C-alpha cells in the first residue's frame, strides 16, 4: 500500500492568514492526488483533484501543487469557514489511501 | 445533482454481518465507481473498496476476506456486506462516487454510524 503522510498534524492560524499543508507519498503517484475538507459531523468534501484542479464551486483561495511524492495544499486569506480537517488521498493505485489528516484551528 | 444516502442497522453484534445500502438519487448508477469508505470515531478515513455499475469490484486487501459489494441497477442502489465484525469495525460508513477521470471521490453520502457491540 502507498502510505500518505501529512504535516503538520494540526496548525493554528488566524482569519486572513495563508496556510500550507504538506502531503508525502511513500512512492511516486505522479499527479494522482486529491485533497478533501471535512467539518465535524459531516462527510468529506472534494477540494482539489489531479494535484492542481479545483473542484467546481470551491473558492480560488484553495490551491494545490506538487508531483511525484511531495504535494502541498495552500489556503490563502483564511476565512472562518475554512477551519476544518484536511485529508490528502492518492488515486494512483489500489487500495486508495488517505493521509492521517491535518486539523486547522483558529488561533 | 447526485445525492447518496446510506441505510442499514446502526448496531451490529460481534461476529455478525454488517449490511448497508446506498441509494443514489438525482442521477443514474449506470456509470462511475461506487465506493465505501469508513471512519472510526475520532480517526482518519479508510477506503473499503468500490464496485462498478457492471459488477466489477476492487476491495482493500486488509478487508478483502470479509467484504462483499453488490449493485442493484434497477433500484439505483449498491450495497456493502462486512462479515465477522468486531469492535474495530465500529465507524461512520460513507458511500461515495469515484470518477473515472482522475479517480477522485466527488460525491459522498452523509455517513451512517455503525456500532459493533453486544
Amino acid at each position: 500500500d502507498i502510505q500518505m503522510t501529512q504535516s503538520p498534524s494540526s496548525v493554528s492560524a488566524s482569519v486572513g492568514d495563508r496556510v500550507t499543508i504538506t502531503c508525502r507519498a511513500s512512492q511516486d503517484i505522479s499527479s494522482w492526488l486529491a485533497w478533501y475538507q471535512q467539518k465535524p459531523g459531516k462527510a468529506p468534501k472534494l477540494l482539489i483533484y489531479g494535484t492542481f484542479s479545483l473542484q467546481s464551486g470551491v473558492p480560488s483561495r484553495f490551491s494545490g501543487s506538487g508531483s511525484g511524492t511531495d504535494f502541498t495544499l495552500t489556503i490563502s486569506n483564511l476565512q472562518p469557514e475554512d477551519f476544518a480537517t484536511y485529508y490528502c488521498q492518492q488515486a494512483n493505485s489500489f487500495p486508495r489511501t488517505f493521509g492521517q489528516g491535518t486539523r486547522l484551528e483558529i488561533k | 445533482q447526485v445525492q447518496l444516502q446510506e441505510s442499514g442497522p446502526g448496531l451490529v453484534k460481534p461476529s455478525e454481518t454488517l449490511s448497508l445500502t446506498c441509494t443514489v438519487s438525482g442521477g443514474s448508477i449506470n456509470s462511475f465507481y461506487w465506493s465505501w469508505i469508513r471512519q472510526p470515531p475520532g480517526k482518519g478515513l479508510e477506503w473499503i473498496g468500490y464496485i462498478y455499475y457492471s459488477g466489477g469490484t476492487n476491495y482493500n486487501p486488509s478487508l478483502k476476506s470479509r467484504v462483499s459489494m453488490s449493485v442493484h441497477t434497477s433500484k439505483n442502489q449498491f450495497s456493502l456486506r462486512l462479515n465477522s465484525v468486531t469492535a474495530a469495525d465500529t465507524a461512520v460508513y460513507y458511500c461515495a462516487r469515484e470518477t473515472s477521470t482522475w479517480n477522485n471521490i466527488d460525491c459522498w453520502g452523509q455517513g451512517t454510524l455503525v456500532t459493533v457491540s453486544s
Side-chain angles (χ1 to χ4, degrees):
Chain A
D1 298 6
I2 297 177
Q3 306 294 325
M4 306 299 292
T5 304
Q6 289 181 231
S7 61
S9 295
S10 65
V11 58
S12 297
S14 301
V15 172
D17 284 354
R18 174 177 172 170
V19 168
T20 297
I21 298 169
T22 297
C23 179
R24 175 164 288 177
S26 61
Q27 62 190 73
D28 189 338
I29 60 169
S30 185
S31 295
W32 297 91
L33 192 283
W35 290 97
Y36 302 85
Q37 176 194 67
Q38 187 178 35
K39 296 182 178 179
K42 300 294 187 182
K45 171 188 171 185
L46 177 65
L47 297 176
I48 288 172
Y49 61 93
T51 299
F52 309 100
S53 299
L54 211 58
Q55 175 70 350
S56 176
V58 174
S60 60
R61 62 180 180 272
F62 291 90
S63 63
S65 64
S67 68
T69 60
D70 294 308
F71 303 86
T72 59
L73 171 69
T74 299
I75 314 170
S76 303
N77 187 24
L78 272 171
Q79 296 300 298
E81 60 268 29
D82 299 337
F83 293 93
T85 299
Y86 293 84
Y87 294 93
C88 62
Q89 178 235 333
Q90 64 83 15
N92 178 73
S93 62
F94 297 103
R96 308 293 192 223
T97 47
F98 294 85
Q100 81 279 15
T102 294
R103 185 174 179 181
L104 175 54
E105 301 173 315
I106 300 175
K107 184 181 289 183
Chain B
Q1 181 174 341
V2 173
Q3 293 186 310
L4 284 68
Q5 178 68 58
E6 304 88 352
S7 59
L11 181 64
V12 181
K13 290 183 168 56
S15 80
E16 296 191 345
T17 298
L18 178 159
S19 295
L20 295 174
T21 295
C22 183
T23 301
V24 180
S25 59
S28 174
I29 202 169
N30 291 331
S31 187
F32 299 102
Y33 296 86
W34 302 98
S35 307
W36 290 95
I37 294 153
R38 69 181 183 178
Q39 185 172 36
K43 297 189 178 180
L45 299 161
E46 179 180 30
W47 184 81
I48 300 171
Y50 72 38
I51 185 166
Y52 195 47
Y53 76 97
S54 58
T57 57
N58 197 308
Y59 301 144
N60 193 320
S62 68
L63 298 168
K64 190 173 183 177
S65 63
R66 299 193 292 129
V67 168
S68 65
M69 297 181 187
S70 56
V71 62
H72 321 283
T73 53
S74 62
K75 296 181 180 180
N76 242 30
Q77 293 177 332
F78 61 104
S79 299
L80 168 71
R81 288 174 61 87
L82 179 67
N83 58 36
S84 303
V85 297
T86 69
D89 295 309
T90 294
V92 174
Y93 286 76
Y94 295 101
C95 61
R97 182 180 79 174
E98 180 176 305
T99 72
S100 57
T101 49
W102 280 98
N103 301 341
N104 49 271
I105 301 165
D106 70 341
C107 188
W108 298 67
Q110 66 183 27
T112 187
L113 175 63
V114 179
T115 301
V116 179
S117 175
S118 56

